[in-house]
Amino acid sequence: MKTINFLAVVALALIGCGDNKDQPDARVRPDVAADAFMPPAVPTLGAQIDRMGRPVVNTALNHGFDPTTAAQTAKVAYNEQTAKTDWLAQAQVGEFMKNLALIDVLDSGKCGNGICETGETGTNCPKPTAATDPPGDCDPAQTGAGNGCGNQVLYNGGQGGPAMALSYASLAAILAEDELYLDTGKTTCSFYLGVEFGVVTGGGNSTCGGRAPEYDVIDFSLSMIAMGLKGFSTDGMFTPQIKDGVDVHADVSAANFPFLGTPH
């Protein structure tokens, strides 16, 4: 009796172990190799609804001061443009020019903006009223303007002087292209528009530029299009001088992907 029980256990064990052949015990589909990875089908993309560019451009320069529903329609159409040739359309550049002129006035009355305004005398602005005000020289040719206009980047092609029909055309055409520039050869990223500033100043760039989460891109953009290079500190850090009163998000981590810090 013991012998019969022992043989039964051995038989069950052999059945459980399979036949030790290469072919698997389970049935295999004839059209798929064994253990093949089957990725899902590539999804069909829908219509473009947005495009990554410089912050503020579409918001402020595309019907930025238009209170009507036409403004929203124009902004949506801007984001849906898929062909780069459409970005530089004459009508769009013209729209940007109008809004750049309005934003150029934001630095009215700000000492050190490079414009001799009413009450400022001589070839230098009065002593800065705050530590953040840069000392920059005034432009004697524009004494008494009283509105801060004329010191925007590439105003009149960078030549200054009185306002003309195409005073804001150069910068409008550049911003209409609306692309972010990133220098992947650099290992550090310090401030927004780093690559562009290197071109404008002629000094090149030591950081990657691009748009890191901790950059205050709104303050940078407003300072650039309202005051030009004088809208930034002269300590090499390019701290923007015009503020929107809103700090950058505190819940970001610049060092680690996905760049999110502790939620607040």
Side-chain angles (χ1 to χ4, degrees), residues 18-262:
D19 54 13
N20 199 31
K21 295 182 178 179
D22 293 337
Q23 191 71 16
D25 294 333
R27 183 179 178 183
V28 179
R29 287 177 50 186
D31 59 331
V32 179
D35 299 324
F37 172 70
M38 294 293 291
V42 177
T44 302
L45 297 179
Q48 177 176 301
I49 60 174
D50 200 0
R51 56 188 173 104
M52 182 62 182
R54 295 188 181 100
V56 178
V57 171
N58 191 22
T59 302
L61 303 184
N62 187 10
H63 292 260
F65 300 89
D66 186 349
T68 69
T69 56
Q72 183 62 26
T73 301
K75 294 179 189 299
V76 171
Y78 178 92
N79 281 327
E80 292 177 347
Q81 290 175 341
T82 57
K84 190 172 180 179
T85 53
D86 294 337
W87 302 357
L88 299 176
Q90 184 174 357
Q92 188 156 283
V93 174
E95 173 66 22
F96 281 20
M97 288 168 55
K98 292 187 299 183
N99 291 277
L100 282 171
L102 292 170
I103 294 176
D104 192 11
V105 79
L106 286 180
D107 60 321
S108 177
K110 185 171 182 63
C111 180
N113 65 357
I115 300 293
C116 284
E117 300 176 20
T118 302
E120 296 180 351
T121 59
T123 58
N124 295 292
C125 290
K127 183 178 180 181
T129 57
T132 55
D133 288 336
D137 292 335
C138 289
D139 181 356
Q142 300 187 41
T143 301
N147 57 19
C149 288
N151 58 349
Q152 189 178 91
V153 173
L154 296 179
Y155 171 84
N156 279 341
Q159 301 303 310
M164 298 183 292
L166 299 178
S167 292
Y168 299 93
S170 297
L171 184 58
I174 291 174
L175 293 179
E177 194 172 10
D178 198 12
E179 296 180 81
L180 281 172
Y181 286 89
L182 176 68
D183 186 347
T184 58
K186 300 297 186 291
T187 57
T188 59
C189 301
S190 299
F191 58 88
Y192 179 53
L193 300 177
V195 176
E196 291 87 339
F197 268 88
V199 174
V200 173
T201 61
N205 58 290
S206 59
T207 64
C208 78
R211 182 188 179 184
E214 76 276 14
Y215 294 168
D216 195 329
V217 295
I218 303 301
D219 287 357
F220 251 89
S221 300
L222 292 177
S223 296
M224 175 190 71
I225 57 182
M227 292 179 65
L229 290 178
K230 291 187 180 294
F232 301 88
S233 63
T234 57
D235 58 2
M237 297 304 297
F238 292 99
T239 304
Q241 302 302 306
I242 293 183
K243 309 286 186 179
D244 62 357
V246 179
D247 294 329
V248 295
H249 291 288
D251 56 345
V252 298
S253 171
N256 302 306
F257 181 85
F259 310 113
L260 299 177
T262 304

